[in-house]
Amino acid sequence: MRNLILLHGALGHHNIFNPYLETLSRYFKVHTPLFSGHGDTELPADEINIEKYNKELALYCKDRNLTDVFILGHSMGGYIALCYALQFPENVNSIITLGTKFDWTEEQAVKESKMLNPDVILEKVPKYAQLLESQHGSKWRQLLPAVADLMIDLGKNPPLKNNLNTINNPVQIMVGDKDNMVTIEESVDAYRRLPNAKLAVLPDTKHPMDKVRPSLLLDLIKDFWNLS
């Protein structure tokens, strides 16, 4: 059976894919790895960054002898999927990204990272703090600054910036029209730079995975991967 890897975003969790598992399991053996520091995995003593997470994905595939994989990545998960295809194109069948940010600059990364202050989130958005604690346990307060550092590192050195045109695997770039983290413009730009890409803009759709309508996303997944 074909292998599908579902990759969560920064501060995300593999349980965001639960509404899709029953349907996708009809077509694939579905894998839902967690990046280190997320869920019940340990937060590394050294920093986390895109390169580290790309290595974790590569090791996950190598340990399970996964080749010709299909990948769906939400947000950062889509970025890592493309980094993996850049390094191991022969291991990737095709990729769908959803809500993946491509236009990373140092200034913007610093601005985004400032929003990841655990004390501020606890005070201003207590429900989000509760969600983070339920998904990642008490270490959520340490995970936030680690992800902030990941963003700043990505802003300084975005590995996909000048390399999208070398990824020849089929890719579908998807973005919600109400995504307040990712612009339609940067998604279109990435789509145009990828040699073998399609583009889908999801109507009335925000950035968080739980704000995406499963029926809409599943229809687009089935269309791209020709599932019937």
Side-chain angles (χ1 to χ4, degrees):
M1 201 172 191
R2 296 177 296 180
N3 290 288
L4 169 63
I5 302 176
L6 304 177
L7 297 177
H8 65 82
L11 301 175
H13 192 278
H14 60 200
N15 66 12
I16 61 170
F17 298 114
N18 286 351
Y20 304 88
L21 296 181
E22 184 181 347
T23 300
L24 293 175
S25 294
R26 297 176 200 159
Y27 308 98
F28 301 100
K29 182 178 180 184
V30 181
H31 302 259
T32 55
L34 281 165
F35 292 113
S36 60
H38 294 75
D40 57 2
T41 67
E42 200 171 320
L43 186 63
D46 55 341
E47 66 177 9
I48 56 173
N49 52 43
I50 292 296
E51 184 183 7
K52 181 177 182 59
Y53 282 166
N54 187 34
K55 285 178 180 175
E56 289 181 9
L57 175 58
L59 188 62
Y60 184 92
C61 292
K62 184 180 179 184
D63 285 350
R64 291 158 184 78
N65 197 27
L66 303 182
T67 57
D68 196 40
V69 292
F70 296 70
I71 307 177
L72 166 62
H74 176 246
S75 196
M76 178 194 74
Y79 201 97
I80 292 164
L82 290 168
C83 288
Y84 181 69
L86 192 64
Q87 193 173 0
F88 302 103
E90 69 283 357
N91 284 358
V92 176
N93 178 289
S94 47
I95 292 170
I96 294 174
T97 72
L98 172 61
T100 292
K101 184 159 195 62
F102 295 98
D103 183 22
W104 284 99
T105 64
E106 190 171 354
E107 180 187 14
Q108 186 182 42
V110 169
K111 183 182 171 186
E112 295 265 355
S113 70
K114 285 178 179 173
M115 294 190 282
L116 300 183
N117 183 311
D119 293 329
V120 173
I121 287 176
L122 204 53
E123 181 188 347
K124 299 281 179 69
V125 204
K127 280 191 174 178
Y128 185 45
Q130 288 172 4
L131 174 66
L132 290 171
E133 184 163 16
S134 71
Q135 289 182 332
H136 312 296
S138 60
K139 72 174 184 300
W140 74 272
R141 296 178 71 98
Q142 289 78 47
L143 180 59
L144 281 168
V147 168
D149 289 343
L150 176 149
M151 286 182 170
I152 292 169
D153 182 66
L154 187 53
K156 289 178 181 175
N157 181 31
L160 293 178
K161 185 173 184 180
N162 299 312
N163 292 311
L164 285 176
N165 62 341
T166 66
I167 299 173
N168 291 300
N169 308 76
V171 178
Q172 176 144 300
I173 302 290
M174 302 202 296
V175 62
D177 62 351
K178 289 184 170 57
D179 192 319
N180 61 359
M181 289 186 65
V182 181
T183 65
I184 293 175
E185 289 75 17
E186 71 188 275
S187 303
V188 169
D189 180 64
Y191 150 73
R192 286 181 172 153
R193 286 194 285 146
L194 287 158
N196 191 6
K198 295 182 179 181
L199 174 72
V201 178
L202 282 63
D204 196 28
T205 301
K206 296 179 181 177
H207 184 79
M209 193 71 187
D210 61 359
K211 302 296 183 188
V212 180
R213 283 166 284 160
S215 58
L216 175 62
L217 181 53
L218 282 167
D219 281 346
L220 289 165
I221 290 170
K222 287 179 178 178
D223 178 73
F224 180 64
W225 280 328
N226 198 24
L227 309 175
S228 56

